[in-house]
Amino acid sequence: MEYVLIAALVFLCIMVLVSLIRGVVAFLRTTKIDLESGEGETATDMQLAQNKAMFARIKYQALAIVVVAIIIAVAR
């Protein structure tokens, strides 16, 4: 049981990192588009991608916290 929870925790931590990197890349692309065009309206697709990636990061972090709480509860 503990090995399954630890594997789930490692998987969720990797997903947090992937979501974070995707969000930062989308943010950098948004900034680049804004600087090149001078208009904030052209970057709406990238801003939506950034918001989606950051929401996914928060979701995976919450699931990781739940797994850690379960591991602590099982360890007692």
Side-chain angles (χ1 to χ4, degrees):
M1 175 73 175
E2 290 179 21
Y3 295 115
V4 173
L5 291 173
I6 292 173
L9 181 61
V10 169
F11 172 75
L12 289 170
C13 289
I14 290 170
M15 293 307 296
V16 167
L17 186 61
V18 168
S19 298
L20 178 64
I21 291 171
R22 284 183 177 179
V24 169
V25 167
F27 174 75
L28 292 174
R29 286 184 182 166
T30 301
T31 304
K32 182 179 177 183
I33 291 171
D34 285 343
L35 289 174
E36 289 175 352
S37 68
E39 299 176 9
E41 297 298 321
T42 59
T44 57
D45 291 337
M46 293 311 297
Q47 289 170 346
L48 291 175
Q50 175 188 356
N51 288 343
K52 185 177 177 183
M54 289 299 128
F55 184 75
R57 178 186 57 88
I58 292 168
K59 176 178 61 175
Y60 291 128
Q61 282 178 329
L63 291 172
I65 290 170
V66 169
V67 170
V68 168
I70 292 171
I71 290 173
I72 291 172
V74 169
R76 290 185 175 194

